[in-house]
Coordinates of all heavy atoms in Angstrom, one line a residue:
M240 N -1.1 10.0 20.4 CA -1.4 8.8 19.9 C -2.6 8.2 20.6 O -2.7 8.3 21.8 CB -0.3 7.9 20.0 CG -0.2 6.9 18.8 SD 1.2 5.7 18.8 CE 2.6 6.6 19.2
P241 N -3.6 7.7 19.9 CA -4.8 7.2 20.6 C -4.5 5.9 21.4 O -3.6 5.2 21.0 CB -5.8 6.9 19.4 CG -5.0 6.9 18.2 CD -3.7 7.6 18.5
R242 N -5.4 5.8 22.4 CA -5.2 4.5 23.2 C -6.4 3.7 22.9 O -7.5 4.0 22.9 CB -5.2 4.9 24.7 CG -5.1 3.8 25.7 CD -4.9 4.2 27.1 NE -3.7 4.9 27.3 CZ -2.5 4.3 27.5 NH1 -2.5 3.0 27.7 NH2 -1.4 5.0 27.7
Y243 N -6.1 2.3 22.7 CA -7.1 1.3 22.5 C -7.0 0.2 23.6 O -6.0 0.0 24.0 CB -6.8 0.7 21.1 CG -7.0 1.6 20.0 CD1 -5.8 2.2 19.4 CD2 -8.2 1.9 19.4 CE1 -6.0 3.0 18.3 CE2 -8.3 2.8 18.4 CZ -7.3 3.4 17.8 OH -7.4 4.3 16.8
F244 N -8.2 -0.3 23.9 CA -8.3 -1.3 25.0 C -8.7 -2.6 24.2 O -9.7 -2.6 23.5 CB -9.3 -0.9 26.0 CG -8.8 0.3 26.7 CD1 -9.1 1.6 26.2 CD2 -8.1 0.2 27.9 CE1 -8.7 2.7 26.8 CE2 -7.7 1.4 28.6 CZ -8.1 2.7 28.0
L245 N -8.0 -3.7 24.4 CA -8.3 -5.0 23.7 C -8.9 -5.9 24.8 O -8.3 -6.7 25.6 CB -7.0 -5.7 23.3 CG -6.4 -5.1 22.0 CD1 -6.0 -3.7 22.0 CD2 -5.3 -6.0 21.5
N246 N -10.2 -5.8 24.8 CA -11.0 -6.6 25.8 C -11.2 -8.0 25.2 O -11.6 -8.1 24.0 CB -12.4 -6.0 26.1 CG -12.2 -4.6 26.7 OD1 -11.2 -4.4 27.4 ND2 -13.1 -3.7 26.4
L247 N -11.0 -9.0 25.9 CA -11.2 -10.4 25.4 C -12.5 -10.9 25.8 O -12.8 -11.2 26.9 CB -10.0 -11.2 26.1 CG -10.1 -12.7 25.7 CD1 -9.9 -13.0 24.3 CD2 -9.0 -13.5 26.6
R248 N -13.3 -11.3 24.7 CA -14.5 -12.0 24.8 C -14.2 -13.5 24.7 O -13.7 -13.9 23.6 CB -15.5 -11.5 23.8 CG -16.8 -12.2 23.7 CD -17.9 -12.0 24.6 NE -18.2 -10.5 24.7 CZ -18.8 -10.0 25.7 NH1 -19.3 -10.8 26.7 NH2 -19.1 -8.7 25.8
Y249 N -14.6 -14.3 25.7 CA -14.3 -15.7 25.6 C -15.5 -16.6 26.0 O -15.4 -17.6 26.8 CB -13.1 -16.0 26.5 CG -13.1 -15.8 27.8 CD1 -13.4 -16.8 28.9 CD2 -12.9 -14.5 28.4 CE1 -13.5 -16.6 30.2 CE2 -13.0 -14.3 29.8 CZ -13.2 -15.3 30.6 OH -13.3 -15.0 32.0
G250 N -16.6 -16.1 25.5 CA -17.8 -16.9 25.9 C -18.9 -15.9 25.7 O -18.6 -14.7 25.5
R251 N -20.2 -16.3 25.6 CA -21.3 -15.4 25.5 C -21.4 -14.3 26.4 O -21.6 -13.2 26.2 CB -22.5 -16.2 25.5 CG -22.8 -17.0 24.2 CD -24.1 -17.6 24.2 NE -24.2 -18.5 23.1 CZ -25.0 -19.4 22.9 NH1 -25.9 -19.6 23.8 NH2 -25.0 -20.0 21.8
D252 N -21.0 -14.7 27.7 CA -21.2 -13.7 28.9 C -19.8 -13.4 29.5 O -19.9 -12.8 30.7 CB -22.3 -14.1 29.8 CG -22.0 -15.5 30.4 OD1 -21.0 -16.2 29.9 OD2 -22.7 -16.0 31.3
K253 N -18.7 -13.8 29.1 CA -17.4 -13.6 29.7 C -16.6 -12.6 28.9 O -16.3 -12.8 27.8 CB -16.7 -15.0 29.8 CG -17.5 -15.9 30.7 CD -16.9 -17.2 30.8 CE -17.8 -18.1 31.7 NZ -17.4 -19.5 31.7
L254 N -16.1 -11.5 29.7 CA -15.4 -10.5 29.0 C -14.3 -10.2 30.0 O -14.5 -9.7 31.2 CB -16.2 -9.4 28.7 CG -15.5 -8.2 28.1 CD1 -15.2 -8.6 26.6 CD2 -16.5 -6.9 28.0
A255 N -13.0 -10.3 29.5 CA -11.8 -9.9 30.3 C -11.5 -8.5 29.8 O -11.1 -8.3 28.7 CB -10.7 -10.9 30.1
I256 N -11.6 -7.5 30.8 CA -11.4 -6.1 30.4 C -9.9 -5.8 30.5 O -9.2 -6.2 31.4 CB -12.2 -5.2 31.5 CG1 -13.6 -5.5 31.4 CG2 -11.8 -3.8 31.2 CD1 -14.3 -5.1 30.1
D257 N -9.4 -5.1 29.5 CA -8.1 -4.6 29.4 C -8.0 -3.3 30.2 O -8.5 -2.3 29.7 CB -7.6 -4.4 27.9 CG -6.3 -3.7 27.7 OD1 -5.6 -3.5 28.8 OD2 -5.8 -3.5 26.6
P258 N -7.4 -3.3 31.4 CA -7.6 -2.0 32.2 C -6.5 -0.9 31.8 O -6.8 0.2 32.1 CB -7.2 -2.5 33.6 CG -6.3 -3.7 33.4 CD -6.8 -4.3 32.1
E259 N -5.5 -1.3 31.0 CA -4.5 -0.3 30.7 C -4.6 0.2 29.3 O -4.3 1.4 29.0 CB -3.1 -0.8 31.1 CG -2.8 -1.2 32.5 CD -1.5 -1.9 32.7 OE1 -0.7 -1.8 31.8 OE2 -1.4 -2.5 33.7
G260 N -4.9 -0.7 28.3 CA -4.9 -0.3 26.9 C -3.4 0.0 26.4 O -2.5 -0.3 27.1
E261 N -3.4 0.3 25.2 CA -2.1 0.6 24.5 C -2.3 1.7 23.6 O -3.2 1.8 22.9 CB -1.8 -0.7 23.7 CG -0.5 -1.4 24.1 CD -0.2 -2.6 23.3 OE1 -0.9 -3.6 23.5 OE2 0.7 -2.6 22.5
E262 N -1.2 2.5 23.6 CA -1.1 3.6 22.6 C -0.7 3.1 21.3 O 0.4 2.5 21.2 CB -0.2 4.7 23.0 CG -0.9 5.5 24.3 CD 0.0 6.7 24.5 OE1 1.1 6.9 24.1 OE2 -0.5 7.6 25.4
L263 N -1.5 3.2 20.2 CA -1.2 2.7 19.0 C -1.5 3.8 17.9 O -2.4 4.5 18.1 CB -2.0 1.4 18.6 CG -1.7 0.3 19.7 CD1 -2.8 -0.7 19.5 CD2 -0.4 -0.4 19.3
P264 N -0.8 3.9 16.8 CA -1.0 5.0 15.8 C -2.4 5.0 15.2 O -2.9 6.1 15.0 CB 0.0 4.7 14.7 CG 0.7 3.5 15.1 CD 0.3 2.9 16.4
D265 N -3.1 3.9 15.0 CA -4.4 3.9 14.4 C -5.1 2.6 14.6 O -4.5 1.7 15.2 CB -4.3 4.2 12.9 CG -3.3 3.4 12.1 OD1 -3.2 2.2 12.5 OD2 -2.7 3.8 11.2
L266 N -6.2 2.5 14.0 CA -7.1 1.3 14.1 C -6.5 0.0 13.4 O -6.5 -1.1 13.9 CB -8.5 1.5 13.5 CG -9.6 0.6 14.0 CD1 -9.6 0.5 15.6 CD2 -11.0 1.1 13.5
D267 N -5.8 0.3 12.3 CA -5.1 -0.8 11.7 C -4.0 -1.5 12.6 O -3.8 -2.6 12.7 CB -4.4 -0.3 10.4 CG -5.4 -0.3 9.4 OD1 -6.5 -0.8 9.2 OD2 -5.2 0.6 8.3
A268 N -3.2 -0.5 13.3 CA -2.2 -1.0 14.2 C -3.0 -1.8 15.4 O -2.4 -2.8 15.8 CB -1.4 0.2 14.7
A269 N -4.1 -1.3 15.8 CA -4.8 -1.9 17.0 C -5.2 -3.4 16.5 O -5.1 -4.3 17.3 CB -6.0 -1.1 17.3
R270 N -5.7 -3.4 15.3 CA -6.1 -4.7 14.7 C -4.8 -5.6 14.6 O -4.9 -6.8 15.0 CB -6.7 -4.6 13.3 CG -7.2 -6.0 12.8 CD -7.8 -5.8 11.4 NE -8.4 -7.1 10.9 CZ -7.8 -8.1 10.5 NH1 -6.5 -8.1 10.3 NH2 -8.4 -9.2 10.1
S271 N -3.7 -5.2 14.2 CA -2.6 -6.0 14.1 C -2.1 -6.5 15.4 O -1.7 -7.6 15.6 CB -1.4 -5.2 13.4 OG -1.6 -5.0 12.0
R272 N -2.1 -5.6 16.5 CA -1.8 -5.9 17.8 C -2.7 -7.0 18.3 O -2.2 -7.9 19.0 CB -1.8 -4.7 18.6 CG -1.5 -4.9 20.1 CD 0.0 -5.3 20.3 NE 0.2 -5.7 21.6 CZ 0.4 -7.0 22.0 NH1 0.4 -8.0 21.2 NH2 0.6 -7.2 23.4
A273 N -4.0 -6.9 18.1 CA -4.9 -7.9 18.5 C -4.6 -9.3 17.9 O -4.8 -10.3 18.6 CB -6.4 -7.4 18.2
L274 N -4.4 -9.3 16.6 CA -4.0 -10.6 16.0 C -2.7 -11.2 16.5 O -2.7 -12.3 16.8 CB -3.8 -10.3 14.4 CG -5.1 -10.1 13.7 CD1 -5.0 -9.7 12.3 CD2 -6.1 -11.3 13.8
E275 N -1.8 -10.3 16.8 CA -0.5 -10.7 17.4 C -0.7 -11.3 18.8 O -0.3 -12.4 19.2 CB 0.4 -9.5 17.5 CG 1.7 -9.9 18.3 CD 2.6 -8.6 18.3 OE1 2.6 -7.7 17.4 OE2 3.1 -8.4 19.5
A276 N -1.6 -10.7 19.7 CA -2.0 -11.2 21.0 C -2.7 -12.5 20.9 O -2.6 -13.4 21.7 CB -2.7 -10.1 21.8
A277 N -3.7 -12.5 19.9 CA -4.4 -13.8 19.7 C -3.5 -15.0 19.4 O -3.7 -16.0 20.0 CB -5.6 -13.5 18.6
R278 N -2.6 -14.7 18.5 CA -1.7 -15.8 18.1 C -0.9 -16.3 19.3 O -0.7 -17.5 19.5 CB -0.8 -15.4 17.0 CG -1.4 -15.2 15.7 CD -0.4 -14.9 14.5 NE -1.1 -14.6 13.3 CZ -1.4 -13.4 12.9 NH1 -0.9 -12.3 13.6 NH2 -2.1 -13.3 11.8
D279 N -0.4 -15.3 20.1 CA 0.4 -15.6 21.3 C -0.6 -16.4 22.4 O -0.1 -17.4 22.9 CB 0.8 -14.3 22.0 CG 1.8 -14.6 23.1 OD1 2.8 -15.4 22.9 OD2 1.6 -14.1 24.3
L280 N -1.8 -16.1 22.5 CA -2.7 -16.8 23.4 C -2.9 -18.2 22.9 O -2.9 -19.1 23.7 CB -4.0 -16.1 23.6 CG -3.9 -14.8 24.5 CD1 -5.3 -14.0 24.4 CD2 -3.7 -15.1 25.9
I281 N -3.2 -18.3 21.6 CA -3.5 -19.6 21.1 C -2.2 -20.6 21.3 O -2.4 -21.7 21.6 CB -3.8 -19.5 19.6 CG1 -5.2 -18.8 19.4 CG2 -3.9 -20.9 18.9 CD1 -5.5 -18.3 18.1
A282 N -1.1 -20.1 21.0 CA 0.2 -20.8 21.0 C 0.6 -21.1 22.4 O 1.2 -22.2 22.7 CB 1.3 -20.1 20.4
R283 N 0.5 -20.2 23.4 CA 1.2 -20.3 24.7 C 0.3 -20.6 25.9 O 0.8 -20.9 27.0 CB 2.0 -19.1 24.9 CG 3.1 -18.9 23.9 CD 4.1 -18.0 24.2 NE 5.1 -18.0 23.2 CZ 5.6 -17.0 22.6 NH1 5.2 -15.8 23.0 NH2 6.5 -17.1 21.7
T284 N -1.0 -20.3 25.8 CA -1.9 -20.3 27.0 C -2.7 -21.5 27.1 O -3.5 -21.8 26.1 CB -2.7 -19.1 27.1 OG1 -1.9 -17.8 26.9 CG2 -3.5 -18.9 28.3
R285 N -2.7 -22.2 28.1 CA -3.6 -23.4 28.4 C -4.6 -22.9 29.4 O -4.2 -22.3 30.4 CB -2.8 -24.6 29.0 CG -1.8 -25.1 28.0 CD -1.3 -26.4 28.4 NE -0.2 -26.9 27.6 CZ -0.3 -27.4 26.4 NH1 -1.5 -27.5 25.8 NH2 0.8 -27.8 25.8
S286 N -5.8 -23.0 29.1 CA -6.9 -22.5 30.0 C -8.0 -23.4 30.1 O -8.5 -24.0 29.1 CB -7.4 -21.2 29.4 OG -8.4 -20.7 30.2
Y287 N -8.5 -23.7 31.3 CA -9.7 -24.5 31.5 C -11.0 -23.7 31.2 O -12.0 -24.3 30.9 CB -9.7 -25.0 32.9 CG -8.6 -26.0 33.1 CD1 -7.5 -25.6 33.9 CD2 -8.6 -27.2 32.6 CE1 -6.4 -26.6 34.2 CE2 -7.5 -28.1 32.8 CZ -6.5 -27.8 33.6 OH -5.4 -28.6 33.8
S288 N -10.9 -22.5 31.3 CA -12.0 -21.6 30.9 C -12.3 -21.3 29.5 O -13.4 -21.0 29.0 CB -12.1 -20.3 31.7 OG -10.9 -19.6 31.3
V289 N -11.3 -21.6 28.7 CA -11.3 -21.4 27.2 C -11.0 -22.7 26.6 O -9.9 -23.2 26.6 CB -10.4 -20.2 26.7 CG1 -10.5 -20.2 25.2 CG2 -10.7 -19.0 27.4
R290 N -12.0 -23.4 25.9 CA -11.8 -24.6 25.4 C -11.5 -24.5 23.9 O -10.7 -25.4 23.3 CB -13.1 -25.5 25.6 CG -13.3 -25.8 27.0 CD -14.3 -26.7 27.2 NE -14.4 -26.9 28.7 CZ -15.2 -27.7 29.3 NH1 -16.1 -28.3 28.6 NH2 -15.2 -27.8 30.6
D291 N -11.9 -23.5 23.3 CA -11.7 -23.3 21.8 C -11.4 -21.9 21.6 O -12.2 -21.0 21.6 CB -12.9 -23.7 21.0 CG -12.8 -23.5 19.5 OD1 -11.6 -23.2 19.0 OD2 -13.6 -23.8 18.8
W292 N -10.1 -21.5 21.4 CA -9.7 -20.1 21.2 C -10.3 -19.5 20.0 O -10.5 -18.3 19.9 CB -8.2 -20.0 21.2 CG -7.5 -20.2 22.5 CD1 -6.7 -21.2 22.8 CD2 -7.5 -19.2 23.5 NE1 -6.3 -21.0 24.1 CE2 -6.7 -19.7 24.6 CE3 -8.0 -17.9 23.7 CZ2 -6.5 -19.1 25.7 CZ3 -7.9 -17.3 24.9 CH2 -7.1 -17.8 25.9
F293 N -10.6 -20.3 19.0 CA -11.1 -19.8 17.8 C -12.6 -19.2 17.9 O -13.1 -18.7 16.9 CB -10.9 -20.7 16.6 CG -9.5 -21.0 16.3 CD1 -8.9 -22.1 16.7 CD2 -8.8 -20.1 15.6 CE1 -7.6 -22.3 16.4 CE2 -7.5 -20.2 15.4 CZ -6.8 -21.4 15.8
T294 N -13.2 -19.4 19.0 CA -14.6 -18.8 19.2 C -14.4 -17.5 20.0 O -15.4 -16.8 20.2 CB -15.5 -19.7 20.0 OG1 -14.9 -20.0 21.3 CG2 -15.7 -21.1 19.3
C295 N -13.1 -17.2 20.3 CA -12.9 -15.9 21.1 C -12.8 -14.7 20.1 O -12.5 -14.8 18.9 CB -11.7 -16.0 21.9 SG -11.7 -17.3 23.2
T296 N -12.9 -13.5 20.7 CA -12.7 -12.2 19.9 C -12.1 -11.2 20.8 O -12.2 -11.3 22.1 CB -14.0 -11.6 19.5 OG1 -14.9 -11.4 20.5 CG2 -14.7 -12.6 18.5
F297 N -11.3 -10.3 20.2 CA -11.0 -9.1 20.9 C -11.9 -8.0 20.6 O -12.2 -7.8 19.4 CB -9.5 -8.6 20.5 CG -8.4 -9.3 21.3 CD1 -7.5 -10.1 20.8 CD2 -8.3 -9.0 22.7 CE1 -6.5 -10.7 21.5 CE2 -7.3 -9.6 23.4 CZ -6.4 -10.5 22.8
E298 N -12.6 -7.4 21.6 CA -13.5 -6.2 21.3 C -12.6 -5.0 21.6 O -12.3 -4.8 22.9 CB -14.7 -6.4 22.2 CG -15.5 -7.6 21.9 CD -16.7 -7.8 22.7 OE1 -17.0 -7.0 23.6 OE2 -17.4 -8.9 22.4
I299 N -12.3 -4.3 20.6 CA -11.3 -3.1 20.8 C -12.2 -1.9 21.1 O -13.3 -1.7 20.3 CB -10.5 -2.9 19.5 CG1 -9.7 -4.2 19.3 CG2 -9.6 -1.7 19.7 CD1 -8.8 -4.2 18.1
V300 N -12.0 -1.2 22.1 CA -12.7 0.0 22.5 C -11.7 1.2 22.6 O -10.5 1.1 22.9 CB -13.5 -0.1 23.7 CG1 -14.6 -1.2 23.6 CG2 -12.6 -0.4 24.9
D301 N -12.2 2.3 22.3 CA -11.4 3.7 22.6 C -11.5 4.2 23.9 O -12.1 3.6 24.8 CB -11.7 4.8 21.5 CG -13.3 5.1 21.6 OD1 -13.9 4.9 22.6 OD2 -13.8 5.8 20.6
T302 N -10.9 5.2 24.2 CA -10.8 5.8 25.5 C -12.2 6.3 26.0 O -12.4 6.4 27.2 CB -9.8 7.0 25.7 OG1 -10.1 8.0 24.7 CG2 -8.4 6.5 25.5
A303 N -13.1 6.6 25.2 CA -14.5 6.9 25.4 C -15.3 5.7 25.7 O -16.5 5.9 26.2 CB -15.1 7.8 24.4
G304 N -14.7 4.5 25.6 CA -15.5 3.4 25.9 C -16.4 2.8 24.7 O -17.2 1.9 24.8
H305 N -16.2 3.5 23.5 CA -16.9 3.1 22.3 C -16.2 1.9 21.6 O -15.0 1.9 21.4 CB -17.0 4.3 21.3 CG -17.7 5.4 21.8 ND1 -17.2 6.6 22.0 CD2 -19.0 5.6 22.3 CE1 -18.0 7.5 22.6 NE2 -19.2 6.9 22.7
S306 N -17.0 0.9 21.3 CA -16.5 -0.2 20.5 C -16.2 0.3 19.1 O -17.0 0.9 18.4 CB -17.6 -1.3 20.4 OG -17.1 -2.4 19.7
V307 N -14.9 0.0 18.7 CA -14.4 0.4 17.4 C -14.1 -0.6 16.4 O -14.1 -0.5 15.2 CB -13.2 1.4 17.5 CG1 -13.6 2.7 18.1 CG2 -12.1 0.8 18.2
L308 N -13.9 -1.9 17.0 CA -13.6 -3.0 16.1 C -13.6 -4.4 16.9 O -13.3 -4.3 18.1 CB -12.1 -2.8 15.6 CG -11.6 -3.9 14.6 CD1 -12.4 -3.8 13.3 CD2 -10.2 -3.6 14.3
T309 N -14.1 -5.4 16.1 CA -14.1 -6.7 16.8 C -13.2 -7.6 16.0 O -13.4 -7.7 14.7 CB -15.5 -7.3 16.8 OG1 -16.4 -6.5 17.7 CG2 -15.5 -8.7 17.4
V310 N -12.3 -8.2 16.6 CA -11.3 -9.0 15.9 C -11.4 -10.5 16.3 O -11.0 -10.8 17.4 CB -9.8 -8.6 16.1 CG1 -8.8 -9.4 15.3 CG2 -9.6 -7.1 15.7
P311 N -12.0 -11.3 15.5 CA -12.2 -12.8 15.9 C -10.8 -13.4 15.8 O -9.9 -13.2 15.0 CB -13.1 -13.3 14.8 CG -13.5 -12.2 13.9 CD -12.7 -11.0 14.2
F312 N -10.6 -14.4 16.8 CA -9.3 -15.1 16.8 C -9.2 -16.0 15.5 O -8.1 -16.3 15.1 CB -9.2 -16.0 18.0 CG -8.8 -15.4 19.2 CD1 -9.3 -14.0 19.6 CD2 -8.0 -16.0 20.2 CE1 -8.8 -13.4 20.8 CE2 -7.5 -15.4 21.3 CZ -8.0 -14.1 21.7
S313 N -10.3 -16.2 14.9 CA -10.3 -17.0 13.6 C -9.5 -16.3 12.5 O -9.0 -16.9 11.5 CB -11.6 -17.5 13.2 OG -12.5 -16.4 13.0
D314 N -9.4 -15.0 12.7 CA -8.7 -14.1 11.7 C -7.2 -14.5 11.7 O -6.6 -14.0 10.8 CB -8.9 -12.7 11.9 CG -10.3 -12.2 11.4 OD1 -11.1 -13.1 10.8 OD2 -10.6 -11.0 11.4
T315 N -6.7 -15.2 12.7 CA -5.3 -15.4 12.7 C -5.0 -16.6 11.7 O -3.8 -16.7 11.5 CB -4.8 -16.0 14.1 OG1 -5.6 -17.2 14.5 CG2 -5.1 -14.9 15.2
V316 N -5.9 -17.3 11.1 CA -5.7 -18.3 10.2 C -6.1 -17.7 8.8 O -7.2 -17.3 8.6 CB -6.6 -19.5 10.5 CG1 -6.3 -20.6 9.5 CG2 -6.2 -20.1 11.9
P317 N -5.2 -17.8 7.9 CA -5.5 -17.2 6.5 C -6.5 -18.1 5.9 O -6.7 -19.3 6.1 CB -4.2 -17.2 5.7 CG -3.4 -18.2 6.6 CD -3.8 -18.3 7.9
D318 N -7.4 -17.4 5.0 CA -8.3 -18.1 4.2 C -7.6 -19.0 3.2 O -6.5 -18.7 2.8 CB -9.1 -17.1 3.5 CG -10.1 -16.2 4.3 OD1 -10.4 -16.7 5.4 OD2 -10.5 -15.2 3.8
V319 N -8.2 -20.1 2.9 CA -7.6 -21.1 2.0 C -7.4 -20.5 0.7 O -6.4 -20.6 0.1 CB -8.6 -22.3 1.8 CG1 -8.1 -23.2 0.7 CG2 -8.7 -23.1 3.1
E320 N -8.3 -19.6 0.3 CA -8.1 -18.8 -1.0 C -6.9 -18.0 -0.9 O -6.2 -17.9 -2.0 CB -9.4 -18.0 -1.3 CG -9.7 -17.8 -2.7 CD -11.1 -17.1 -2.8 OE1 -12.1 -17.7 -2.9 OE2 -11.1 -15.9 -2.9
D321 N -6.6 -17.2 0.1 CA -5.5 -16.4 0.3 C -4.3 -17.2 0.2 O -3.2 -16.9 -0.4 CB -5.5 -15.7 1.6 CG -6.6 -14.6 1.7 OD1 -7.1 -14.2 0.6 OD2 -6.9 -14.1 2.8
S322 N -4.2 -18.4 0.8 CA -3.0 -19.3 0.8 C -2.7 -19.8 -0.6 O -1.6 -19.8 -1.0 CB -3.2 -20.5 1.8 OG -3.5 -20.0 3.1
D323 N -3.8 -20.2 -1.4 CA -3.5 -20.7 -2.7 C -3.0 -19.5 -3.5 O -2.1 -19.8 -4.4 CB -4.9 -21.2 -3.3 CG -5.4 -22.4 -2.7 OD1 -4.7 -23.1 -2.0 OD2 -6.6 -22.7 -2.8
T324 N -3.4 -18.4 -3.4 CA -2.9 -17.2 -4.2 C -1.5 -17.0 -3.8 O -0.7 -16.7 -4.8 CB -3.7 -16.0 -3.8 OG1 -5.1 -16.1 -4.1 CG2 -3.3 -14.8 -4.7
E325 N -1.1 -17.0 -2.6 CA 0.3 -16.8 -2.2 C 1.2 -17.9 -2.8 O 2.3 -17.7 -3.3 CB 0.4 -16.7 -0.7 CG -0.2 -15.5 0.0 CD -0.1 -15.5 1.4 OE1 0.6 -16.4 2.1 OE2 -0.8 -14.7 2.1
A326 N 0.8 -19.1 -2.7 CA 1.5 -20.2 -3.2 C 1.7 -20.2 -4.6 O 2.8 -20.5 -5.1 CB 0.8 -21.6 -2.8
T327 N 0.8 -19.8 -5.5 CA 1.0 -19.7 -6.9 C 1.8 -18.5 -7.4 O 2.3 -18.4 -8.4 CB -0.4 -19.8 -7.7 OG1 -1.2 -18.6 -7.2 CG2 -1.1 -21.0 -7.4
S328 N 1.8 -17.5 -6.6 CA 2.5 -16.2 -6.8 C 4.0 -16.2 -6.6 O 4.8 -15.4 -7.0 CB 1.9 -15.0 -6.3 OG 2.0 -15.0 -4.9
T329 N 4.4 -17.3 -5.9 CA 5.9 -17.3 -5.5 C 6.7 -18.2 -6.4 O 6.2 -18.9 -7.3 CB 6.2 -17.9 -4.0 OG1 5.3 -19.1 -3.9 CG2 5.8 -16.8 -3.1

């Protein structure tokens, strides 16, 4: 199983490196894990260095150090259009 590292970008020049990474089946699973971690940080973490979590991103890299995906924390909030579709389909 591939290993992905979820590095946290929280400012133009601030990057918290994930030293261990996580074994996940594929890039979709890595994106889901990043969104789960973002939701957890937004809900539970108070930080003086991060004033607005929604400007943060997870920069996902593979074991070779190549950037494979960027997941903005703003993706944790569904688009208004998506919410309207879900509400009318139930």
Side-chain angles (χ1 to χ4, degrees):
M240 209 177 318
R242 181 172 293 274
Y243 296 99
F244 299 84
L245 280 65
N246 299 327
L247 174 62
R248 171 81 52 196
Y249 61 100
R251 288 186 182 161
D252 58 348
K253 296 179 181 168
L254 184 67
I256 301 293
D257 174 1
E259 296 176 17
E261 244 180 283
E262 288 186 352
L263 297 162
D265 55 29
L266 201 51
D267 286 335
R270 182 179 189 283
S271 294
R272 178 67 186 107
L274 289 172
E275 177 185 316
R278 285 184 189 102
D279 189 54
L280 285 168
I281 291 166
R283 297 193 176 134
T284 305
R285 298 193 190 280
S286 173
Y287 293 106
S288 59
V289 177
R290 295 187 180 178
D291 182 3
W292 283 111
F293 293 105
T294 62
C295 299
T296 60
F297 274 116
E298 296 178 2
I299 302 174
V300 298
D301 61 16
T302 54
H305 298 118
S306 178
V307 293
L308 185 65
T309 298
V310 180
F312 277 40
S313 59
D314 282 2
T315 62
V316 180
D318 292 336
V319 173
E320 211 172 273
D321 292 342
S322 296
D323 291 343
T324 304
E325 289 176 13
T327 58
S328 64
T329 48

